[in-house]
Amino acid sequence: MVTANFNLNPDNDVTASRRIGMKGIWKRDPYYDPDFAKDREITDLLEIIDYLQN
């Protein structure tokens, strides 16, 4: 089973998710610098289906 969190703020959502053992998936956002740890970066929410199936 895969548990993932994806949301809008890299520190509050992606980094925090990774700290507790969840996968941190970042949907690209032009307002944030993409230089932070994440398990996956996507541009479209439909990409999550491929990620979860593999």
Side-chain angles (χ1 to χ4, degrees), residues 3-50:
T3 303
N5 179 39
F6 52 95
N7 218 312
L8 300 174
N9 184 291
D11 291 322
N12 295 340
D13 302 312
V14 179
T15 303
S17 295
R18 295 183 83 232
R19 282 187 187 135
I20 63 167
M22 296 173 68
K23 298 292 183 186
I25 301 172
W26 176 250
K27 183 175 180 297
R28 287 188 192 122
D29 186 323
Y31 298 106
Y32 287 98
D33 181 0
D35 188 27
F36 60 90
K38 55 196 157 288
D39 295 295
R40 178 83 175 229
E41 184 170 319
I42 61 173
T43 57
D44 188 297
L45 290 177
L46 292 175
E47 294 175 53
I48 292 173
I49 296 169
D50 290 333

